[in-house]
Structures are given as structure tokens and as C-alpha cells.
Amino acid sequence: MFDHEMREAAERVLVACRKRKLKVVTAESCTGGLVAATLTAIAGSSDVVERGFVTYANEAKREMLGVPWDALLGHGAVSEPVARAMATGALTHSQADIAVSVTGVAGPGGGSEDKPVGLVHLAAVRTGHEPIVERHVFPGDRDVIRRVSVLTALAMLASLAER
């Protein structure tokens, strides 16, 4: 189900988190839980993965993660402020130490001039550390955009966990 590259990226996160006794939470929109699914595809991941939030709708982002309406209405669901708020909200609403969020336009529809298909905002936060925030416009179809978004999210988690 998950290719070698995805499994290796997940293993890197799990090893780094185990070393530092960190628990992970995910907050996902366009990836629909694939970051959490990739992590939990590895046997024994339950000692690291605390929970995952799939918040596809704006109301879910608000209710489950506490994303402020002004961020959603002022910047749109696919924006840096929302990605930051999703990651921070995931930490607040869990027992985890490190969080990653993904929000984007996976396509094939839904894009605009300002927010084209492939636009993805990600944020990773860890208690006591500076957050990592990234913006990408990934080329490809829906499957490719979601896959590379998962790999990027896992790389961000690993980087923050290894600090």
C-alpha cells in the first residue's frame, strides 16, 4: 500500500521520536489522513503516534482544532495562517509533543489564479522549538500531489524531531 520511500520516511520519524520520547499528532486536510496512515503502516508505531485529525471541512478545522474563523475567512483554508493554526491546535487538543499539518488544493478542480492546483501549506510544531512552515506548488495529478505532500510532512516531522 505504501511504497519504499514513504515507509523509509515514516521510519525516520518514528526512530527520531522514539529517541526523544516524543508523541506525534497529525492535522490533515488535502491528504485525508495519509500522513497518519503512513506512520501507522509501520508495526509498533503506536508508541509514537498519539492521534490524527482529518479536518477536511472548515467547520471541522474550527471545531476539532480551534482554527479561528478570521484565519479561515480572511486567508482561506489553504493558507499559512491556517496551516499554523491547525498544527498548534492539534498539539493543544492532544497529548502529543510534535504536530504536523497539511492543507492544500490537490485537484483536479478547486484551483484558482491565487491558489492553483498543487498549492500546499504545511506546518510542523514542537513544544519549545521554532516551527517549520513551508509553502509548495507541487506539479502532478491528485495522487502525486497528495503523495509528495505526505513525504514533505514526514520530512518536516523528522527534522523537527531530530533537533
Side-chain angles (χ1 to χ4, degrees):
M1 182 173 221
F2 300 97
D3 65 37
H4 183 71
E5 185 179 12
M6 293 174 83
R7 293 179 71 82
E8 276 190 349
E11 285 279 7
R12 180 178 169 209
V13 171
L14 296 172
V15 167
C17 288
R18 282 186 187 112
K19 253 186 204 176
R20 292 156 188 85
K21 297 184 180 1
L22 300 173
K23 295 283 189 177
V24 171
V25 61
T26 63
E28 302 180 64
S29 187
C30 67
T31 49
L34 288 173
V35 177
T38 304
L39 288 166
T40 59
I42 308 300
S45 59
S46 61
D47 64 340
V48 171
V49 180
E50 201 269 340
R51 72 183 75 184
F53 295 96
V54 177
T55 55
Y56 216 67
N58 284 348
E59 188 60 35
K61 289 174 183 65
R62 192 170 131 24
E63 284 178 10
M64 295 173 71
L65 301 173
V67 175
W69 275 121
D70 64 333
L72 289 162
L73 298 176
H75 301 279
V78 180
S79 65
E80 180 182 320
V82 169
R84 285 178 180 268
M86 287 173 65
T88 302
L91 274 186
T92 301
H93 292 90
S94 72
Q95 302 300 311
D97 309 290
I98 188 168
V100 69
S101 67
V102 186
T103 183
V105 183
S112 67
E113 189 174 319
D114 291 339
K115 296 184 180 186
V117 169
L119 175 63
V120 179
H121 287 272
L122 304 99
V125 295
R126 177 179 170 192
T127 308
H129 291 76
E130 286 297 312
I132 301 172
V133 180
E134 294 188 13
R135 177 194 183 277
H136 299 276
V137 180
F138 295 122
D141 64 16
R142 183 176 184 83
D143 290 341
V144 170
I145 292 165
R146 286 168 39 117
R147 179 182 180 280
V148 74
S149 295
V150 169
L151 289 170
T152 303
L154 292 171
M156 291 169 69
L157 272 177
S159 175
L160 199 51
E162 290 167 349
R163 289 184 183 175

